[in-house]
Amino acid sequence: SSTFSGSAAGTFTAFTATSGTLTLTPTTNYTNITQVVVAQVTYENALRPGDNVITGASGYFGLRFDTDPNTLFPRGILREESRTNSLTYSEKFNLSPWATSAATISPDVTTAPDGTTNADLLYPTSTGASREVYQPAGYSVGNTYSLSIQAKPAGMTWMTFGAGAGSGAAARLAFFNLSSCTVGTTGASITATAIKLRNSYCRLTVTYTPAGSGGYMEISPVDGDNNYTATANGTNGIYLCGAEIEIGAFTTSYIPTYASSASRPADIIKLSGVALSTIGASAGTVIQEDNLEGNIAANQYAIYGNSVSPIYFDNALAIKATNGTNVLTSGSSAVIATPIRTGLSWDASGRAISVNGATPVVDGNSFGTVGATVYVGSNNGSNTANGWLRTFSIYNTKLLGSAFTTKTT
């Protein structure tokens, strides 16, 4: 039951739920309640009609509007292919199968990049080399792996990170400066990167293709660049969280794990309503801005439907369009981690493609028939243009001349 009181119609000074106590008390005639006193809260443990409950990987999680992890500046809608983090306990370095060598893990001692207190401290227990925490990784010949870790200084500035030796495969490690979030000396046949995160963390990555099987992920605090020695004083080390191993030539967004590996389904975006009918019309223009985070050995579709792709990137990142039969090449290519703006316009006389305001390349071929389902950023989760969709526009007319190139600038 409930009781309302007020000095005027529609204006209430108190609302009291008498089953338990939940009191909402505005101080004056506010249109929104701004002061709430909660004496007791009872949580429901049964579903009600209309509740939207995600029960597994097939659940709908919505568009991922992403921001820069350091500046929090909007980056756009994040589109990524399906990936798996094969490590377990990605944030619990004190739990098996993680193990240490002449080092100690103190769990959950400080704030992680996401604001939770789940970052661990790793510090050497004696002075020497290979003061580390590691987990078996099970690398296989023929795969390319991307390893990543989130770390920051805890009295020690430098660390090594990468793939420990396996059967027939040498260790592949890189040195990182955690104060500047920069890469130091790197081992042979690997690619290493470092980017800044929130709360003074760096996300460090190592990508390599093993020549043998087995191996580990290894993380070690060290005294300096290209110096494997760690000097112990019983407290100084590095903070760690967010360990990940993915199969792929670049790292994607972090996937937390617990007692088993975990997977993230592909981001699938589809057009509907007026947008769908407009892109299927006999004349129109589509313009979008992308920022790719990596390249795959296949075509990557910015837009796709029924074998028609008004904008796609080939396996060398050349920007093209296809009606399912005829390919129109823009003469421009995308660059990883660099925004690029592309437009395609069409009518019965043919197509025109422009990239970053360049003079359009034209042909006399048709746009093609996109069908009833049009995807943005993939072909139903495959051939994903991994990265960020920054802007997206569709017009119901073929833009020409400066009206077209200005919008792709």
Side-chain angles (χ1 to χ4, degrees):
S1 63
S2 59
T3 301
F4 297 87
S5 63
S7 58
T11 303
F12 300 101
T13 57
F15 164 72
T16 302
T18 58
S19 177
T21 54
L22 173 64
T23 303
L24 312 179
T25 309
T27 60
T28 185
N29 295 340
Y30 293 146
T31 56
N32 295 309
I33 294 173
T34 58
Q35 296 185 9
V36 179
V37 179
V38 181
Q40 178 179 336
V41 177
T42 301
Y43 293 95
E44 296 185 34
N45 56 15
L47 301 180
R48 297 171 297 169
D51 282 345
N52 182 21
V53 180
I54 296 171
T55 59
S58 61
Y60 173 69
F61 296 89
L63 297 176
R64 293 197 287 163
F65 293 93
D66 195 29
T67 59
D68 184 281
N70 183 43
T71 65
L72 298 185
F73 189 82
R75 295 201 289 190
I77 298 172
L78 180 59
R79 316 161 303 201
E80 292 181 316
E81 63 193 17
S82 177
R83 287 286 184 93
T84 297
N85 184 355
S86 60
L87 292 174
T88 57
Y89 294 111
S90 62
E91 297 175 357
K92 299 293 182 183
F93 298 90
N94 60 313
L95 299 181
S96 178
W98 289 106
T100 57
S101 174
T104 296
I105 290 288
S106 297
D108 301 337
V109 295
T110 194
T111 305
D114 64 3
T116 60
T117 307
N118 63 359
D120 294 356
L121 171 65
L122 168 65
Y123 64 92
T125 53
S126 61
T127 298
S130 300
R131 273 47 183 168
E132 63 193 18
V133 63
Y134 57 91
Q135 182 175 149
Y139 305 118
S140 298
V141 176
N143 289 329
T144 296
Y145 294 88
S146 289
L147 292 65
S148 62
I149 188 71
Q150 300 167 23
K152 75 173 182 178
M156 299 183 71
T157 300
W158 285 87
M159 64 176 281
T160 62
F161 170 64
S167 176
R172 293 290 182 259
L173 303 172
F175 287 81
F176 296 91
N177 185 318
L178 297 180
S179 291
S180 59
C181 275
T182 54
V183 180
T185 301
T186 61
S189 305
I190 67 172
T191 300
T193 67
I195 62 170
K196 292 182 179 180
L197 303 178
R198 300 289 289 176
N199 296 327
S200 300
Y201 280 85
C202 312
R203 192 183 191 198
L204 315 175
T205 75
V206 167
T207 299
Y208 93 120
T209 302
S213 59
Y216 301 84
M217 172 184 276
E218 291 185 4
I219 308 159
S220 304
V222 294
D223 288 344
D225 187 24
N226 204 25
N227 179 0
Y228 289 95
T229 298
T231 300
N233 68 0
T235 57
N236 287 355
I238 55 178
Y239 293 121
L240 302 173
C241 58
E244 185 166 37
I245 296 179
E246 309 170 65
I247 294 179
F250 55 93
T251 300
T252 63
S253 57
Y254 169 58
I255 305 167
T257 67
Y258 301 93
S260 60
S261 61
S263 298
R264 180 194 61 243
D267 294 292
I268 298 176
I269 306 170
K270 294 186 286 187
L271 297 183
S272 62
V274 174
L276 179 60
S277 61
T278 301
I279 203 168
S282 58
T285 302
V286 59
I287 295 172
Q288 71 180 69
E289 185 174 326
D290 298 280
N291 187 0
L292 301 180
E293 65 179 348
N295 189 20
I296 61 176
N299 290 337
Q300 299 145 78
Y301 296 119
I303 311 171
Y304 184 91
N306 191 36
S307 298
V308 174
S309 181
I311 303 171
Y312 75 93
F313 311 94
D314 71 9
N315 60 2
L317 297 182
I319 302 172
K320 302 177 179 180
T322 180
N323 59 14
T325 303
N326 308 108
V327 174
L328 176 61
T329 301
S330 71
S332 300
S333 296
V335 177
I336 299 301
T338 302
I340 192 161
R341 196 169 176 87
T342 306
L344 184 87
S345 62
W346 70 92
D347 62 11
S349 67
R351 305 174 294 179
I353 189 170
S354 173
V355 178
N356 286 349
T359 300
V361 179
V362 301
D363 70 7
N365 294 308
S366 67
F367 176 77
T369 303
V370 294
T373 305
V374 176
Y375 299 95
V376 177
S378 74
N379 172 17
N380 194 24
S382 64
N383 296 89
T384 300
N386 291 278
W388 297 270
L389 175 62
R390 294 165 57 89
T391 63
F392 184 85
S393 304
I394 300 178
Y395 302 85
N396 60 0
T397 187
K398 181 180 182 179
L399 299 180
L400 300 171
S402 61
F404 182 37
T405 56
T406 298
K407 292 186 180 299
T408 68
T409 300

